Each structure stands twice: as C-alpha cells, then as structure tokens.
Amino acid sequence: MSEAHAEMGFLRKYVFSTDHKIIGIQYGITALVFLFFGFCLMMMMRWQLAYPGEPIPLIGGLLGETRTDRGAMLPNFYNQLGAMHGTIMVFMGIVPLAVGAFGNYFVPLQIGAPDMAFPRLNMASYQAFVIGGVIMLVSFFLPGGAASSGWTSYAPLAVIATTGQTFWLFGMMFLIASSLLGGINFIVTIIHLRAEGLTFFRLPFFVWSQLVTAFLLVLAFPALQAASVMQLMDRLAGTSFFMPSGLVVGGEQIAAVGGGSPLLWQHLFWFLAHPEVYVLILPGMGIVAEVIAVNTRKPLWGYRPMVYSLLFLGFLSFGVWAHHMYMTGMGTTMSTFFQITTMIISIPSVIILTCLVISLWGASIRFPVPMLFALAFLPMFGIGGLTGLPLGLAAPDAFLHDTYYVIGHFHYVVAPGTIFALFAGIYHWWPKITGRQMNEALGKIHFWFSFLFMNGIFMPMMFEGMAGVSRRLFDPTIYVTGEAAHGLTIMTSWSAWGLALAQVPFIINFFWSMRKQEMAEDNPWQATTLEWATPTPPPHGNFPETVVAYSGPYEYSVPGAERDFSPQFIKQEA
C-alpha cells in the first residue's frame, strides 16, 4: 500500500479518478451545487406563495416571457419549479451527498480498506450521476420547460405532459443507474474488504447505516427504473401501461389509450419512494451516532439493538409504501394491513433515537459545531417522525392528505433532520478531508440561524395543513382557508430567505478554512474508529501500513485506561 505512484495529470486525478476519496469529494461538491440550485427554485416559489401575482424582485424580468408575465410568475413555471425542486433535492442533492460523498469517502477508511471493491464502477457511478443531473437541468431550456407533473410524476398527467417530462425520465434512468452501481459497490466492499479483526459487530454504526442503505438502493430502485421505461414507452411508443381507457383531455379523447392503470405507476413509484425516505435518513443517523459517541466520550448506549433496529427498519421499509395511497380507494383490508406495518416501522426508529438520547445521559459532553448539529437532529427527527404517525392512519390521512401538513412532516425528517446530520458530518470530518479545521465561531453562527429559520419554515406549515391549506395551490389566497392562514405563509417565506442568508457563514467557512485555518492533527477529536488511523489528509491507498482492528468502535472512557479514548487500531495492554 505504500508503493510509489507516478504523478497523474489533472483530468486523470480529478475528473476520471478511481480513488474513492476523490470520487467522494466529486459527489460532495456536485451535490452541494445541486442542493443550492434546488433551494433557489424553492425561494422563487415562496415569493409567489407569499405575494401572489407580484413581480419577483431582481430576477423577475430576466426569466423570459414563457415563465413570467411582466416579472410575475406564471402557473406553469410554478409547477416546473415544484417538480424540479423535489427531484433535485432528493435525487441529486441529499442522496448523493449522504451516500455518494460520505459513503465513498469514509466507508473504506472506517473498514480499513485501501479503496472500494470496484474503483472503475465507482467512477462510472459518479459519471452517470452527472449525466443524469445535466439532463435534468437542460430540460429547463426546452419548449414548454422542465417537467411539471410533480416530483412523483403521476400518470396520466405526466404521460401527456410536455417534452420536459421525457427528459425527466431519461435523467432518472441515469440517476438510478448511478445508485445501483454505487449500491452494489458498497455491499461488496463492506463484506469483503474489512480489515483483519473488524468483525461485523466491530463496524462503526455509520458503516452499518451505509450497508443497509446500499441494500435499499439495489432492491428498491429497479422498480422506478422499470416504471420510467414504461412511462417513456407510453409517451413515445404509443403503449398504455398507465393510460386508462376513454381518457379525455381538453374535450378530446386521447388516441393511444387502452386499459392501462394510473395506479400501477403510483405503486411502482412508492415502492421505491418510501424506502427512499430511509435512504435519506439512515446515513444521517449513522453520522449522528459517530458524532455523539466522540463528543460524549462514551460508547453508544445500545449499539447492538441499534444495529438490529437498522436491519429491521430496512426490511420493513418495503412493506409500507401504500400508506401514501389511502385516498386511491384501496379498500379497508389493504388499508388495515398498511396501517399496521406503518405503525410497526416506527418502533425501530424510536429505538435508535432513544439509544442516541440515552447515550447523552451522564456524559461529559463537548459542544463543538458538529455536536450542535447532531444534538439538533434528535428533536427535529423526532418531530418529523411523530407527525408522520397521523399520516400512516387512513382516517386522519383523509383530512391531512395533500395539505401543507405533509410538506411540514416530510421536511422535518429530511431538512432539519437529514441535512443537519450532513452538516454535522461535514464539520466533523472536515479536518480529515482537508487537513484544516473549520472556524468554530462561523460554524456556530451557521448552526443557530439555520436552527431558527428551519423551524420558522416548517412549523407554520403544520398549522397551515391542519387549517386545510392545500399544498397544490399556485395562489393559496383564492380559498378562504389559504387567505385565513396567509400570515403563516408569509412567515414561512421570510424564514426560507433567512435560511438562505444563514448559509453565508458556512460558504465563507468552507472556502476560507481551506487556505487560512490552522492545520489539523491526524486525530483532532481524539476518536477511536479506523479513519483516524490515516495521515491527514489520507494519501492514495489510505493506510501507510496494514491496519488491524483490536476492539469495538466506541471504546471511550475505558476503566483503567490512560486516556479517555482507546482507538480500535491500537492494541491495548491487558
């Protein structure tokens, strides 16, 4: 592993690299750019919702006559922004950051491997991700604009939509191919390339979370891949997998119809999309567990129950998809089945969250920036989970379905939930990636304002939803419910713009720390897992000599030990 390598050119080293660390950084930077772009789309939508029909400040006149009328947003453009915001944030932002970036960079390091099992497959996975993302972005410039049928692309609306929907389907195929290649690679890597002594129950919880996530990717995504091909056939080849007989649009019967089922699309989509929620959240749980263990200076309380819960969570996530479809009239028997499985799946989530909270008990807690984000994750994810329970039951779902309550619930899981976990990971592992420390003061400013504005966005949505405001409205004030709750809508919009400003300290910190901040030690947090055994930043091949795991991942405050941390890569004296 310590052999010398010839110096590589820029393209070979940074564009066509097969090094898992470079690919992890590529995923990370690309996903952050997509996240920023998807966030900008949302900020434009929030202007229309808060001030319907008024010109968008600064950029309204630049968007063109097909998207605006004298600077004010047109309804079809609003639909495009909504569909692409969801698609970009989920498939091009959070998943690539949580799995592609953190997984690629740290899974091989945490298992003591020199690289991923299939480095060229890893490179192909990233390239497919970029191609899929570019196709999605290019669709904004097509006649008729980007896809506008929602991020769920429900048939038959999506089948008869403009050309942007075709690009959405092609883009999704590349994004799914990327996830499948990555998922297979993670599974083989974790099973076959673990260091000597690193048994499964010596794996860090983060690695377990990535392993379960990889299985979800490999088993769930093919359903949407197949559905995308079928919808593409409906659009381009005249088939009718999802087109019902006798469909009339604009007073005219659609020609290519013949007994297809729109519900089939929903089943295939949600068979992917509910496990996808756990693809979003499980890596976040893994990151938070690492940060909490390091900063409480204690072993994770209930490590094995957490692992078993993770496995059960992954398995059962394939049995709850139809709780998104109570309103389709599936019947009481099927509704009852999915209500029961939905209530059951909350149990392992509660176990993991409870173990993380109990891990804080009696600890000598340190509060650096990553720990602040990790601690904030716990109540935020708790709110997201608890508010999901009413939606898992058919009776309250009938009242809350398609209201802003659903938006608030889902975003509490993935925004102050997963995204806070991802920020915790960035601040925690930044010294290992760059060799520099991030600035603590800028980090704390970033955290506190993000925490404030995140809740300012999503908590009012809960009340709007319970007041009956539909999430599908271009102008919510046209109905009495929306008019009555319009103050909350304005508050949400201003909080969203405030959240954008709250990211400025992070962006400054990101670039400034790489050049100006002090050099970091190899193990600045005094952590115990294998990634801290490498030089900082890790060289090609990762470890200068073969690494061996002698103990579990969280040997903190071991009685009789000289220090309050006992790295698993150092053999302790008996």
Side-chain angles (χ1 to χ4, degrees):
M1 285 184 284
S2 58
E3 62 188 283
H5 293 269
E7 189 64 29
M8 292 181 287
F10 180 85
L11 286 178
R12 181 73 180 83
K13 187 173 182 179
Y14 295 108
V15 179
F16 298 103
S17 174
T18 55
D19 186 319
H20 72 99
K21 299 181 293 297
I22 298 296
I23 294 173
I25 292 171
Q26 288 173 332
Y27 263 113
I29 292 174
T30 312
L32 284 171
V33 170
F34 282 140
L35 272 176
F36 178 74
F37 182 72
F39 186 68
C40 291
L41 302 186
M42 181 275 291
M43 286 195 290
M44 283 194 283
M45 294 172 67
R46 291 308 318 178
W47 176 264
Q48 165 59 28
L49 292 170
Y51 304 102
E54 295 188 21
I56 305 171
L58 302 177
I59 61 170
L62 305 175
L63 295 173
E65 293 181 353
T66 58
R67 302 180 184 90
T68 59
D69 179 12
R70 287 169 290 182
M73 188 178 296
L74 293 172
N76 190 51
F77 185 50
Y78 178 87
N79 286 339
Q80 294 173 37
L81 297 182
M84 296 307 291
H85 166 72
T87 302
I88 290 170
M89 298 302 269
V90 171
F91 297 106
M92 296 159 58
I94 297 176
V95 172
L97 187 57
V99 182
F102 282 105
N104 258 307
Y105 202 101
F106 288 106
V107 164
L109 294 180
Q110 287 201 327
I111 66 172
D115 206 319
M116 297 290 280
F118 306 117
R120 291 185 186 279
L121 207 64
N122 210 16
M123 180 180 69
S125 169
Y126 172 71
Q127 291 170 348
F129 164 61
V130 172
I131 293 171
V134 169
I135 291 173
M136 290 286 187
L137 297 187
V138 165
S139 68
F140 276 101
F141 301 99
L142 295 171
S148 56
S149 305
W151 79 284
T152 55
S153 286
Y154 278 174
L157 180 64
V159 178
I160 60 174
T162 59
T163 309
Q165 181 64 26
T166 302
F167 275 59
W168 188 93
L169 292 166
F170 277 117
M172 282 305 299
M173 288 180 194
F174 278 99
L175 295 176
I176 293 170
S178 165
S179 293
L180 293 175
L181 295 175
I184 292 168
N185 214 351
F186 277 115
I187 292 169
V188 177
T189 300
I190 294 170
I191 291 176
H192 286 285
L193 295 189
R194 284 171 290 122
E196 180 185 349
L198 193 66
T199 61
F200 276 102
F201 280 108
R202 285 181 173 177
L203 288 176
F205 190 70
F206 175 74
V207 176
W208 273 110
S209 73
Q210 291 285 342
L211 180 61
V212 174
T213 300
F215 274 105
L216 296 183
L217 290 172
V218 170
L219 297 176
F221 264 106
L224 185 58
Q225 188 80 315
S228 297
V229 172
M230 292 159 71
Q231 190 179 110
L232 203 60
M233 294 290 286
D234 278 6
R235 290 178 57 83
L236 302 179
T239 60
S240 55
F241 291 106
F242 306 120
M243 295 293 278
S245 297
L247 182 66
V248 175
V249 177
E252 297 183 3
Q253 185 167 336
I254 298 295
V257 294
S261 170
L263 285 185
L264 176 60
W265 170 268
Q266 292 196 31
H267 281 290
L268 291 170
F269 179 84
W270 287 114
F271 184 79
L272 154 85
H274 199 83
E276 176 77 0
V277 174
Y278 296 98
V279 169
L280 296 170
I281 196 66
L282 295 187
M285 285 180 171
I287 293 170
V288 167
E290 298 301 310
V291 174
I292 284 180
V294 169
N295 290 290
T296 56
R297 318 307 291 165
K298 286 175 59 186
L300 281 181
W301 193 91
Y303 167 78
R304 289 201 177 209
M306 288 173 69
V307 172
Y308 292 134
S309 298
L310 201 63
L311 295 171
F312 185 63
L313 200 61
F315 172 76
L316 200 61
S317 69
F318 290 100
V320 297
W321 80 90
H323 71 217
H324 296 274
M325 300 168 57
Y326 291 140
M327 300 298 283
T328 62
M330 67 175 66
T332 53
T333 303
M334 292 305 294
S335 291
T336 303
F337 172 80
F338 283 106
Q339 287 177 86
I340 292 171
T341 55
T342 302
M343 293 302 108
I344 292 174
I345 203 173
S346 64
I347 296 172
S349 302
V350 170
I351 291 174
I352 294 173
L353 199 62
T354 304
C355 289
L356 292 174
V357 172
I358 294 177
S359 295
L360 304 174
W361 180 261
S364 180
I365 302 176
R366 304 186 305 198
F367 293 97
V369 175
M371 187 60 169
L372 295 178
F373 278 104
L375 290 175
F377 167 90
L378 302 177
M380 297 297 99
F381 176 70
I383 293 171
L386 288 173
T387 53
L389 294 179
L391 299 172
L393 299 170
D397 183 65
F399 174 70
L400 296 169
H401 188 83
D402 257 353
T403 68
Y404 270 100
Y405 182 91
V406 180
I407 305 286
H409 148 69
F410 177 68
H411 281 79
Y412 259 107
V413 174
V414 299
T418 300
I419 291 180
F420 271 14
L422 297 176
F423 277 131
I426 291 172
Y427 282 101
H428 179 67
W429 279 310
W430 186 262
K432 180 56 64 180
I433 298 170
T434 66
R436 306 270 182 170
Q437 287 280 10
M438 274 190 155
N439 182 279
E440 277 285 299
L442 286 173
K444 288 180 178 176
I445 293 171
H446 173 221
F447 166 74
W448 284 111
F449 281 104
S450 295
F451 183 79
L452 175 69
F453 289 122
M454 280 278 193
N455 285 282
I457 296 171
F458 301 116
M459 188 57 75
M461 287 186 179
M462 300 286 187
F463 297 104
E464 285 183 281
M466 288 187 282
V469 181
S470 170
R471 60 190 282 199
R472 305 289 184 191
L473 297 176
F474 169 66
D475 177 0
T477 62
I478 61 172
Y479 293 110
V480 173
T481 50
E483 179 66 35
H486 197 57
L488 293 173
T489 303
I490 294 173
M491 176 182 173
T492 299
S493 294
W494 279 100
S495 296
W497 303 324
L499 182 63
L501 291 176
Q503 306 316 301
V504 173
F506 171 72
I507 295 171
I508 294 172
N509 211 351
F510 187 96
F511 292 104
W512 184 68
S513 65
M514 282 193 285
R515 301 183 63 85
K516 300 295 183 182
Q517 276 293 89
E518 62 189 37
M519 298 298 292
E521 302 171 6
D522 287 345
N523 189 1
W525 309 114
Q526 298 181 322
T528 55
T529 42
L530 294 183
E531 76 270 29
W532 304 103
T534 67
T536 296
H540 185 76
N542 297 339
F543 300 92
E545 55 188 37
T546 303
V547 66
V548 178
Y550 296 100
S551 60
Y554 308 117
E555 296 293 319
Y556 292 101
S557 304
V558 176
E562 293 182 1
R563 303 176 298 184
D564 70 347
F565 70 108
S566 305
Q568 65 179 151
F569 48 87
I570 296 177
K571 190 174 184 178
Q572 306 298 317
E573 297 296 330

